[in-house]
Amino acid sequence: MKDYKQIKSKTKGPIITIMGGIHGDEICGYKAVEYFMQSITSVNKGTLNLVIANQLAITHDKREVNYNMNRIFRDNLPEQIKDTYEYKRSLEIKETLDQSDILIDLHSSVEGSQPFIICEENGLEIASCVNVKNILINIDAFHPGSTDGYMNNKSKIGICIECGYKKDPESTNFAISAVESILAKLGLIDSDLKINKYKQDVFRSEYIYTAKSNEFVIPEAYTDFDIVKAGDIVAMDGEASVRFKKHYHILFANHKAKKGDEAFLLVEKQK
């Protein structure tokens, strides 16, 4: 599997990187990048970089080999992480990101998840062309070391597209459609801009909960952006109930969380 392709125009324009497969079991991302490696032979302006991030994890159909690569793109990492495959690969990817203006990183999630976008306010205009209802902002403070956060910290644009359930073939189709819309909006390819059928809602990340014990249980089958009402028991963490004093929406509910794992993210809808 080829892990990198660059397509450059003679006409000046933005440098865009499309990346997939940073988590090896999220099929849609690397399948979409493979599709574009074969289907795009030229761009109208600028430069398009196509990157498959974590080939070793993809080969083993697992999220990571040694460490979550999407938490490595930051400073002050523990020394033991610097010996991992993911860290060494991240250094290669950083060379591409450092030369890019915009990153589109393709992801997918657990069963029942729906497509949405993660970006900061500088990416909202680009995100507006993608056919999703929900956009999440302010996540970098809670997920340090992500690729999109790396770009945002350099005053560039980093956009993560969550494409749905990772084992659903439709997530790959969505990833392809989303990237085509963005590349068309930015003028790199000729393609009919698809009309977004949604009025997009923006949610702000407010709180991430980390499991305190190995006896962590989420009793409800939450899907992304479900409402958690004030006082509801969101989880049992050992003998302690986890509840909150105000209404939130919940994302990334991790029913298999163990002590120290990210268990869920709480967000608020913006007016």
Side-chain angles (χ1 to χ4, degrees):
M1 182 190 301
K2 186 177 181 180
D3 64 11
Y4 178 78
K5 181 178 181 180
Q6 184 179 79
I7 306 159
K8 194 169 186 177
S9 171
K10 293 181 180 179
T11 303
K12 187 176 180 180
I15 302 172
I16 315 298
T17 293
I18 310 296
M19 185 160 65
I22 199 165
H23 296 136
D25 60 348
E26 297 177 10
I27 298 170
C28 71
Y30 68 82
K31 289 291 186 183
V33 172
E34 284 183 321
Y35 169 83
F36 289 118
M37 284 180 173
Q38 296 174 14
S39 64
I40 298 180
T41 56
S42 63
V43 290
N44 297 331
K45 63 179 182 179
T47 300
L48 177 63
N49 298 314
L50 299 168
V51 178
I52 295 176
N54 196 339
Q55 281 211 18
L56 191 55
I58 290 169
T59 300
H60 292 286
D61 190 27
K62 54 195 296 188
R63 182 176 176 83
E64 63 223 27
V65 179
N66 305 119
Y67 193 83
N68 182 354
M69 189 187 286
N70 209 31
R71 298 292 180 270
I72 284 179
F73 289 80
R74 58 189 171 95
D75 297 327
N76 302 319
L77 288 167
E79 286 300 316
Q80 63 267 28
I81 293 176
K82 295 181 180 180
D83 291 329
T84 66
Y85 160 78
E86 274 88 2
Y87 176 76
K88 293 170 184 175
R89 176 64 176 139
S90 76
L91 297 179
E92 298 172 349
I93 294 170
K94 280 182 181 180
E95 293 180 8
T96 299
L97 299 185
D98 288 344
Q99 298 171 16
S100 302
D101 300 309
I102 301 169
L103 166 70
I104 310 297
D105 194 1
L106 301 170
H107 288 258
S108 52
S109 190
V110 298
E111 189 171 5
S113 59
Q114 300 297 317
F116 65 95
I117 284 180
I118 299 170
C119 66
E120 296 305 322
E121 293 189 8
N122 64 353
L124 290 175
E125 175 59 27
I126 294 173
S128 68
C129 73
V130 180
N131 200 30
V132 295
K133 184 178 188 300
N134 297 324
I135 298 176
L136 180 65
I137 64 171
N138 193 45
I139 199 171
D140 292 344
F142 303 98
H143 281 174
S146 67
T147 56
D148 44 304
Y150 181 82
M151 294 291 284
N152 294 326
N153 288 336
K154 292 180 173 291
S155 299
K156 301 181 178 187
I157 296 177
I159 296 175
C160 166
I161 303 181
E162 290 284 350
C163 300
Y165 177 36
K166 60 187 176 182
K167 293 186 178 180
D168 182 358
E170 186 55 35
S171 65
T172 301
N173 295 333
F174 178 83
I176 291 170
S177 176
V179 171
E180 286 178 339
S181 291
I182 290 172
L183 293 180
K185 183 178 181 67
L186 296 173
L188 272 73
I189 64 171
D190 296 319
S191 178
D192 293 333
L193 277 174
K194 300 171 180 63
I195 297 174
N196 191 338
K197 64 182 180 181
Y198 296 111
K199 178 184 179 299
Q200 291 177 325
D201 292 322
V202 177
F203 294 80
R204 181 179 177 85
S205 306
E206 294 293 341
Y207 180 78
I208 194 164
Y209 185 85
T210 301
K212 308 296 189 298
S213 73
N214 288 325
E215 291 74 44
F216 178 85
V217 177
I218 299 177
E220 298 291 331
Y222 291 116
T223 58
D224 289 337
F225 298 98
D226 278 352
I227 294 176
V228 173
K229 294 182 180 179
D232 282 356
I233 296 177
V234 181
M236 293 299 300
D237 200 347
E239 296 182 359
S241 61
V242 181
R243 62 182 86 201
F244 299 90
K245 294 181 179 180
K246 59 187 289 188
H247 295 350
Y248 288 103
H249 295 256
I250 190 169
L251 275 83
F252 307 129
N254 181 1
H255 294 265
K256 298 180 180 180
K258 299 297 182 184
K259 185 177 181 179
D261 291 343
E262 296 170 0
F264 56 84
L265 177 71
L266 297 180
V267 305
E268 281 190 303
K269 186 176 179 179
Q270 303 299 283
K271 303 289 186 185

